[in-house]
Amino acid sequence: MREFEGLVESFEGNRVVLDQTAFNPRGGGLVSDTGRLNGMTVVEATKEGDNVFHLLEAPADLRVGDRVHGVLDWERRHRIMRMHTTAHILSSVVNGETGALITGNQIGPVESRVDFNLEHFDKDRMSVYIEKVNDAVKRGLEVRAYFMKREEAMAVPGLVKLANAAPPTVDLLRIVQIGDVDTQADGGVHVKNTGEIGTVIGLRTENKGKNNRRVYFTVK
Ligand SMILES: [Zn+2]
């Protein structure tokens, strides 16, 4: 969703909360969307409790109940979706090849990174992994999102990798499935089809401590 209508629920200075929003707030390793509300620039969206705060560039002239038209910076958002979907495919490939698990990620529109708990990382293997990622991307895999009861999801091995991230009070988990490559509980934004990703480029790897290997990539 690139554009939407919402009603102002509250605002304070340049922080606005709406009754609904298409802005994906910063979190889970993803940077925030940016865009506009009634033509005013939204520099960041953050989540506190159940509320998404839209941070405007300047104080807003708004009233509670005002209708606003929201527009996402779609080029940025689509790059974030391409990068995030790529991170899942890369994680699946590296996990399949080495057994390494992800210890962190940072997804942004320009470059992104995934951290793996690997003691040794053969840099020459990097190009092989990226090639496998591009093979999956080019297969044009459908990306599906659906909801599953928490206890059912917990019973599927490997599905809930961040079980502690979702509070136990949440009894429906969102599952994201990328063709036959990756299925897991995930709250982030993804493309509809891996064909949208284009070409994945491995940028560099870094050693971040004994068991931590950081892999940077981008999409073109
Ligand atoms: Zn994710």
Side-chain angles (χ1 to χ4, degrees):
M1 185 179 282
R2 303 166 190 225
E3 300 191 19
F4 65 99
E5 302 288 325
L7 297 174
V8 175
E9 276 198 343
S10 69
F11 73 98
E12 201 191 312
N14 52 355
R15 278 160 47 103
V16 184
V17 177
L18 305 173
D19 66 333
Q20 58 177 7
T21 186
F23 281 85
N24 187 49
R26 168 162 54 88
L30 273 69
V31 296
S32 162
D33 284 333
T34 60
R36 290 177 173 271
L37 285 182
N38 282 0
M40 299 176 286
T41 300
V42 177
V43 292
E44 189 173 44
T46 57
K47 194 170 182 187
E48 292 170 33
D50 287 333
N51 286 329
V52 173
F53 289 89
H54 303 77
L55 185 70
L56 299 172
E57 198 176 33
D61 180 23
L62 288 170
R63 266 176 268 275
V64 170
D66 278 357
R67 178 173 295 274
V68 294
H69 183 67
V71 181
L72 300 189
D73 176 342
W74 185 253
E75 199 186 313
R76 172 187 166 96
R77 157 62 96 83
H78 194 237
R79 283 194 63 84
I80 295 168
M81 299 194 308
R82 291 159 67 201
M83 291 279 205
H84 184 212
T85 311
T86 300
H88 279 274
I89 299 170
L90 176 65
S91 303
S92 168
V93 166
V94 175
N95 177 262
E97 297 276 322
T98 67
L101 296 173
I102 313 148
T103 52
N105 65 342
Q106 186 60 49
I107 307 299
V110 179
E111 67 170 34
S112 300
R113 61 172 167 82
V114 181
D115 290 352
F116 295 97
N117 69 338
L118 262 181
E119 198 166 342
H120 303 289
F121 195 91
D122 183 351
K123 281 192 180 153
D124 299 336
R125 296 293 293 165
M126 183 63 192
S127 56
V128 177
Y129 303 151
I130 295 293
E131 205 178 300
K132 283 179 184 270
V133 170
N134 276 309
D135 286 346
V137 164
K138 286 196 193 80
R139 276 161 61 209
L141 302 169
E142 195 198 342
V143 182
R144 282 202 315 133
Y146 52 92
F147 289 86
M148 216 174 178
K149 282 213 173 91
R150 185 186 190 84
E151 58 269 27
E152 285 170 27
M154 297 301 279
V156 182
L159 192 58
V160 183
K161 295 197 170 92
L162 294 166
N164 302 329
T169 48
V170 177
D171 37 68
L172 271 187
L173 295 181
R174 179 173 178 263
I175 311 295
V176 175
Q177 178 173 1
I178 304 170
D180 55 0
V181 172
D182 188 55
T183 305
Q184 62 179 277
D186 198 295
V189 294
H190 306 80
V191 293
K192 273 271 189 200
N193 187 290
T194 60
E196 293 173 49
I197 291 172
T199 305
V200 179
I201 299 160
L203 295 174
R204 63 193 182 278
T205 59
E206 274 175 11
N207 292 343
K208 301 299 270 187
K210 188 172 175 287
N211 291 315
N212 198 7
R213 300 292 170 266
R214 184 165 282 180
V215 178
Y216 289 87
F217 66 90
T218 191
V219 293
K220 194 175 81 174

